[in-house]
Amino acid sequence: MRHLLLSTAALLAAALPVLAQEAATALPETIVTATRVPTALERVPASITIITRQQIEERGHATLAEALSAVPGLRLAPSGGPGQQASVFLRGNSSRSVLVLLDGVPLNDPSEANGAFNFGNDLLFDVERIEVLRGPASSLYGSAAVGGVVNLVTRRAASRPFAPYGELAGGTQGTVRGGLGATGTIGAFDYLASANGLRTDGFNATARRFRNTLNERDGLQAGALALRLGWTPMEGTRVEGTLRYRQNRFDLDSVPRDDPNSTGDDRRLMGQLRAETRLLDGLWTTGFRVAFTQDRRAYVNLPDARSTASTRDHYRGERLGFDWGNTLRLPGLGFATDGALNFGVTHAREEVFSLAGNTPFQTRVNAAQDSTAGHIALQYRLWNRMDVTAGLRHDAVGSFTGATTWRAGVVYHVPELGARLRASGGSGFNAPSLFQRFGTIGTAFRGNPNLRPERSLGYELGGELDLPLFGRPDFATLGATWFQSRVRDLIIFQGTSVANVDRANLQGVELTLAVRPAPWLSAELGWTITDATDARTRRPLPRRPEHVISATARLTPLPGLVIAPQLQFTGRSPEGPFASYRDDGTSFTTERRNKTGTLFNITASYVVREGITAFVEGRNLGNSRWEPVNGFQTPGRSLLVGTRFGF
């Protein structure tokens, strides 16, 4: 495996200058997640994927999990359909090592036992774009940003007084999806309000291969409300308030047998108030934010013919955060231009109350902790072709630990060849969750208040090359990135508690190819090769497949018609002992590998008239029964027909 990674990276590095005879540079796209300073995408020394609102609609992505499925370096592991648990492994890092933001506000639920985010819950109706930063980002965002950051950016207000938008769709499995919203600007004030929902009977999440399956469907009822009010009294000064509420009610299955009356209710309320102004003729931008999240989860399993047991589990997690951020535009220094210094202080308090299970194995957590951090980052452009960044942050978590993290990177532009070369490195840390520190399970388990944070050190080297061919200046863009990371002090269950005992070695290659052979045709191909192993045992880590390949295309054969097919291949992935099941429902006591899986989706949309679009979405058209997580089957074939409008 290691030889394959090194050989592939070396081959691509050698091929880049050979393939380029002349080149055209792609139009820059501005992002904020990677540096906290609005920066053109091509000048950021990090691996970034941007999913725009146009792509969300043309590809038929209704949920966050669907939208992330084709991101290079990212492996999605859902345990069922929409609303069910879905984990993300970014560059082989654990699912608790990905930080999720909404307009910069952390969304990871403090009451989740490992601090991981559930990617199966969120709908995208009010989301304008998704920015995915791969690689350690703790120097910017602190704990949990070991593998990377996913930032959801909500829709912006329209410049006119009233701009409505919405959609309505229905299809197989009793699915109905709809939403209605409006934005506008009236003088110095602007607003956004939206409501959306999804209802479906769904599919049976438990694999059909199990001999004792009931084949009962696991449905979902999901809804979300969003409201944002903004005030811009003068140029460069803005005050904005946001509220967002989401609630999902869903059926649950267990493995290896169905559970006909197990249900869940997952709610989140998020709000923020932020103010920002420019000082010193725009050289200094300073802003303050106060934000909160409240997560409520409840799971109920009543007695049935298969089991007389009854459980009612409740989880409550809250976070209150304060953030003071600044950007100072720096003067040029001859060969150094476009300088910016970003610095700030953040403080957050997390509280958790959980009560789950029945005695004598009842799980309890009732705890809180504070964290305070200061961060600083510097960026400059040198000789008008090299962009450099460096950042440092120190986090003090509770009274038990502190962590200092860093990140540095460089992008070197070769416009003569249409090439961009990137190199970066950084450290990360992941504080233990409140359950890991203070949780109890009857008398059989006690958390470890003396846990240390998980820590990582990672590097990446890569680049992109624009290829003009057949008379088209933007015919193709070829990309390759090699990454490596070492993670230590991993937290695992040990005996009747948890301890920092494990280490992991992660490395891989992300290969991308975007082709634009004709004005009516474009396609993207991504291939991620990952080698993730336990540093002590040398065994592969569970649920990290060696190969993930995704292919997407955009065809416009007629004016107003867009056809967007998507093909996803996931290679074999290991499962730990007792996590793999035979067809009769018994578990294997040794490590196994999940089989490969291929999914094919396609969405077609047609502009009926200006502002009105009709669409058809087909999912898993091959009706694959692939199990992304052993025992949990991917949803079957489905079709949705609808219309959306926006004026």
Side-chain angles (χ1 to χ4, degrees):
M1 171 65 193
R2 184 171 300 168
H3 294 302
L4 174 61
L5 295 176
L6 296 176
S7 300
T8 305
L11 176 62
L12 286 163
L16 289 178
V18 175
L19 291 172
Q21 302 298 322
E22 51 182 323
T25 303
L27 292 175
E29 190 164 10
T30 300
I31 64 167
V32 296
T33 305
T35 61
R36 286 185 180 259
V37 179
T39 306
L41 177 61
E42 63 177 19
R43 295 178 54 187
V44 176
S47 297
I48 302 286
T49 296
I50 297 177
I51 305 169
T52 66
R53 183 69 213 174
Q54 179 180 346
Q55 291 171 325
I56 290 172
E57 293 180 351
E58 290 182 348
R59 298 175 183 177
H61 298 322
T63 67
L64 178 58
E66 290 178 342
L68 296 178
S69 61
V71 173
L74 185 148
R75 195 270 160 134
L76 187 72
S79 301
Q84 305 298 305
Q85 176 67 38
S87 301
V88 156
F89 300 91
L90 200 51
R91 288 186 169 175
N93 285 276
S94 66
S95 59
R96 69 185 302 261
S97 298
V98 182
L99 179 65
V100 180
L101 310 172
L102 179 70
D103 290 335
V105 177
L107 293 184
N108 293 42
D109 181 3
S111 69
E112 207 281 333
N114 294 312
F117 183 82
N118 181 3
F119 287 83
N121 270 325
D122 287 271
L123 306 179
L124 300 178
F125 182 73
D126 63 333
V127 173
E128 181 66 27
R129 59 196 270 129
I130 304 170
E131 297 180 357
V132 183
L133 166 64
R134 301 188 292 283
S138 290
S139 65
L140 287 172
Y141 297 104
S143 179
V146 173
V149 176
V150 177
N151 187 19
L152 309 179
V153 181
T154 56
R155 293 180 187 250
R156 299 294 94 187
S159 58
R160 55 187 183 276
F162 181 65
Y165 59 92
E167 73 170 20
L168 181 63
T172 57
Q173 290 77 50
T175 301
V176 178
R177 191 179 80 210
L180 184 63
T183 73
T185 301
I186 304 173
F189 296 91
D190 59 80
Y191 67 92
L192 178 146
S194 72
N196 66 290
L198 170 66
R199 182 208 173 278
T200 181
D201 294 335
F203 294 87
N204 184 26
T206 303
R208 290 183 60 183
R209 64 182 174 85
F210 292 131
R211 297 170 190 167
N212 55 0
T213 180
L214 296 176
N215 200 29
E216 55 94 18
R217 293 183 175 183
D218 301 304
L220 166 70
Q221 297 181 40
L225 301 171
L227 175 66
R228 184 175 65 245
L229 301 175
W231 177 44
T232 308
M234 65 182 72
E235 184 178 358
T237 299
R238 178 170 174 79
V239 180
E240 181 179 284
T242 303
L243 279 175
R244 190 174 191 259
Y245 177 75
R246 185 263 299 152
Q247 180 175 6
N248 293 350
R249 294 177 177 174
F250 45 88
D251 298 324
L252 288 170
D253 263 347
S254 60
V255 171
R257 55 176 56 88
D258 295 339
D259 197 324
N261 56 4
S262 180
T263 61
D265 187 306
D266 193 313
R267 311 179 188 188
R268 179 192 301 130
L269 176 64
M270 169 267 181
Q272 69 163 320
L273 178 65
R274 66 185 186 93
E276 183 178 272
T277 189
R278 296 177 187 171
L279 306 172
L280 304 177
D281 293 329
L283 294 179
W284 178 21
T285 301
T286 185
F288 182 80
R289 182 209 318 262
V290 56
F292 72 91
T293 57
Q294 296 178 350
D295 287 275
R296 301 287 190 274
R297 293 180 291 124
Y299 304 98
V300 177
N301 189 3
L302 299 176
D304 55 58
R306 294 195 167 197
S307 173
T308 59
S310 176
T311 59
R312 294 180 182 270
D313 304 337
H314 298 274
Y315 302 85
R316 185 183 74 214
E318 298 181 356
R319 178 187 291 109
L320 178 64
F322 304 89
D323 187 352
W324 177 53
N326 303 268
T327 298
L328 188 63
R329 296 292 178 179
L330 302 178
L333 303 173
F335 65 91
T337 59
D338 297 339
L341 181 69
N342 179 271
F343 61 95
V345 177
T346 66
H347 176 80
R349 178 173 179 80
E350 295 181 341
E351 298 182 0
V352 171
F353 175 79
S354 300
L355 185 63
N358 298 316
T359 55
F361 300 105
Q362 191 171 64
T363 300
R364 290 177 175 267
V365 186
N366 189 357
Q369 69 182 17
D370 294 274
S371 60
T372 303
H375 61 88
I376 186 169
L378 175 68
Q379 66 184 61
Y380 257 111
R381 165 159 273 207
L382 310 180
W383 299 289
N384 203 33
R385 65 167 62 216
M386 180 185 295
D387 293 285
V388 295
T389 66
L392 190 69
R393 176 176 172 129
H394 180 78
D395 287 79
V397 182
S399 59
F400 72 101
T401 189
T404 300
T405 52
W406 62 271
R407 183 180 176 93
V410 59
V411 181
Y412 187 74
H413 304 262
V414 190
E416 299 83 0
L417 300 177
R420 298 167 296 282
L421 305 176
R422 291 179 287 102
S424 67
S427 60
F429 90 102
N430 202 352
S433 70
L434 285 169
F435 172 78
Q436 291 170 336
R437 293 188 64 205
F438 303 112
T440 63
I441 303 178
T443 59
F445 172 86
R446 289 288 183 275
N448 181 357
N450 299 315
L451 285 172
R452 301 184 302 275
E454 300 176 341
R455 298 178 184 268
S456 74
L457 184 63
Y459 303 92
E460 70 173 72
L461 177 65
E464 293 83 35
L465 175 67
D466 298 323
L467 299 176
L469 294 172
F470 308 113
R472 295 188 58 83
D474 62 345
F475 177 84
T477 300
L478 178 67
T481 301
W482 167 83
F483 62 87
Q484 184 181 58
S485 181
R486 299 288 183 265
V487 188
R488 60 184 174 90
D489 291 333
L490 285 171
I491 299 170
I492 66 167
F493 282 90
Q494 190 176 59
T496 60
S497 188
V498 287
N500 300 95
V501 296
D502 266 9
R503 293 176 292 120
N505 295 331
L506 315 170
Q507 64 175 340
V509 175
E510 297 165 359
L511 309 174
T512 59
L513 174 64
V515 294
R516 311 163 193 92
W520 56 270
L521 174 62
S522 63
E524 298 179 3
L525 178 68
W527 177 18
T528 302
I529 307 169
T530 306
D531 182 13
T533 59
D534 185 310
R536 293 188 302 114
T537 64
R538 306 297 181 184
R539 293 177 177 174
L541 296 177
R543 298 181 183 174
R544 280 82 156 179
E546 186 173 353
H547 301 279
V548 175
I549 301 174
S550 64
T552 59
R554 184 179 189 270
L555 298 86
T556 56
L558 299 173
L561 176 62
V562 178
I563 301 173
Q566 179 178 353
L567 186 69
Q568 181 89 24
F569 169 81
T570 303
R572 295 194 309 162
S573 60
E575 280 280 13
F578 301 102
S580 296
Y581 297 89
R582 302 179 178 89
D583 293 351
D584 62 3
T586 59
S587 61
F588 290 93
T589 58
T590 57
E591 294 180 349
R592 308 286 294 181
R593 285 187 176 269
N594 293 329
K595 295 180 179 180
T596 63
T598 302
L599 300 177
F600 178 67
N601 305 322
I602 190 169
T603 299
S605 53
Y606 179 70
V607 179
V608 179
R609 53 176 296 183
E610 184 178 0
I612 300 178
T613 301
F615 60 87
V616 179
E617 299 172 5
R619 293 289 172 267
N620 190 12
L621 294 183
N623 206 30
S624 170
R625 296 182 182 179
W626 173 55
E627 299 173 25
V629 174
N630 190 276
F632 288 103
Q633 185 172 283
T634 193
R637 183 189 295 116
S638 65
L639 189 69
L640 197 73
V641 179
T643 183
R644 69 173 58 93
F645 68 88
F647 302 102

